Amino acid sequence: MRHDPLSHSLAAASFGRGVRWLFCSVEPLQWSIAVSLPLGVLAAAFIVAVPSLLDGSRAVDWSAWAPLLGAWLVGLVIQVVVTQVLFSIPKRSRFGGDPVRDDSGDDSLMYRTVLTIGGVWMAIPDIAINRNQPSWLETFAGASRVLALWSLLLLSLGAACLGCLLVDTLLASAPDSAASSTATTAAVAAMDRPWVIASWMFCLQGFWQLLPIPQALGRVGWSAAIGLFARHPDPHANDRSEAIFAVRRVQWWIVAIALSTLLGGVMAIQLSGISSQAGGRVWPALSGVTLLALWLFISARGQDLLASQMILAANGETGVLHSRIGIGPAYRRWQAERQQRARTRKLLEVAKRERDEANDAAQVDEILQRLHTGGPDSLSDEEHAILSRVSEAIRQTRARDQNPKP
């Protein structure tokens, strides 16, 4: 029997099967902690403690790792605050009306949000807008709300990174500054400076949220963006068919990003000069890039992609931008505008011609009277031209009346 790719999509309706624990509810968001967060902290502690455990004569130097952990936590807090603010509008009924409160204890009325080791992770919400008096936050709904959140998270992390680099530059350039002694060193490599460390951590979290890896908002964002453009060739296709059609395009996109990550990572390692350094430093970097690309490649068959596309199809958002954005739609709009300009020009020409004919007709009686009394020599060249135009107009009108178009 053929395997149905959507057979487990309902089980993934809460967006993924990762282990998580409910942490708190800040209306209208229900925050959970993914298993990757405590596991990541334990892995970091293990990395710090192992060298000291192997060498009993050396104590664990936790102070060297405290800035890294602190900057990472600040990045998570930034993402949490941005998410809470953007989703501060209570969930509404799909039929509009007043905001739906969670007084009844119904968890389905809350937005489910998961905090992972890399940051915020959220599914595409249902479309639920108050069509009477929506606020500016409620202009985002469904996929647009996720895309707005994705953009704001990356923008916030980028702004925090630039702010840290600016502060580090100001401190390094200050006279009698402790950092001025290392100002001549490369800022990227100066990991003993806390502001540079924080900048690196924010960049790493932004990179995590940009790639379509599991339990990352980038995966939801790319899935939503591609789903908005993936229009099924059959306009009468059901939600199931539209979801399958869109998922295939998302899968190919993830495979392409996996290959790009592998090639780009290898090129970056080669250009950075790590491959020529002694001590085998190239192997950890190469292994990390290879494992990341392999993880992306394997995750292309994840059920969370099906769940996101099912939500898009249920919202009626699948393929809605196919005919609005892109080279083809832009060309069709240009053609339509060109034809509209041509029609407008023809209408203006017809209106001008009819206005001129009306002016000529108003002078015909006077000209004919003068022609009758004084003869052709009594008329000016302009009056002769008026008679010629009126005569030609009458001839064309008679020709149209005798030979009407079918």
Side-chain angles (χ1 to χ4, degrees), residues 327-397:
I327 298 178
Y331 177 75
R332 288 191 291 269
R333 286 194 297 269
W334 176 77
Q335 285 283 75
E337 293 174 358
R338 182 182 177 185
Q339 294 175 359
Q340 182 61 35
R341 288 194 299 268
R343 287 193 295 266
T344 303
R345 185 173 59 254
K346 289 181 180 179
L347 289 175
L348 292 176
E349 292 175 354
V350 171
K352 183 178 181 301
R353 185 172 61 251
E354 291 179 349
R355 185 172 60 252
D356 293 341
E357 291 176 356
N359 293 334
D360 293 343
Q363 303 178 48
V364 165
D365 291 339
E366 182 181 351
I367 294 174
L368 291 177
Q369 183 64 30
R370 189 178 304 165
L371 177 64
H372 180 72
T373 57
D377 296 335
S378 62
L379 302 180
S380 63
D381 294 340
E382 182 181 356
E383 291 173 337
H384 278 291
I386 292 175
L387 288 178
S388 298
R389 289 198 298 269
V390 172
S391 176
E392 179 65 19
I394 294 174
R395 186 185 64 79
Q396 291 179 358
T397 302

Side-chain angles (χ1 to χ4, degrees), residues 24-71:
C24 65
S25 295
V26 183
E27 191 176 348
L29 267 64
Q30 185 183 80
W31 288 95
S32 298
I33 300 297
V35 68
S36 60
L37 188 57
L39 287 180
V41 175
L42 290 176
F46 183 76
I47 294 174
V48 176
V50 162
S52 300
L53 294 176
L54 296 178
D55 186 3
S57 61
R58 184 176 60 178
V60 179
D61 187 12
W62 295 103
S63 60
W65 293 87
L68 292 173
L69 180 60

Side-chain angles (χ1 to χ4, degrees), residues 149-226:
L149 174 62
W150 187 31
S151 303
L152 286 176
L153 289 186
L154 294 177
L155 180 62
S156 300
L157 291 173
C161 174
L162 292 177
C164 290
L165 292 179
L166 179 61
V167 172
D168 181 78
T169 302
L170 294 176
L171 293 177
S173 60
D176 300 330
S177 174
S180 61
S181 59
T182 60
T184 57
T185 61
V188 175
M191 294 304 292
D192 57 333
R193 291 149 67 175
W195 293 105
V196 177
I197 292 177
S199 177
W200 269 103
M201 293 296 99
F202 295 152
C203 283
L204 188 58
Q205 286 182 338
F207 186 70
W208 175 282
Q209 294 290 44
L210 185 62
L211 289 178
I213 54 182
Q215 295 194 9
L217 193 62
R219 188 174 179 89
V220 189
W222 285 118
S223 180
I226 296 175

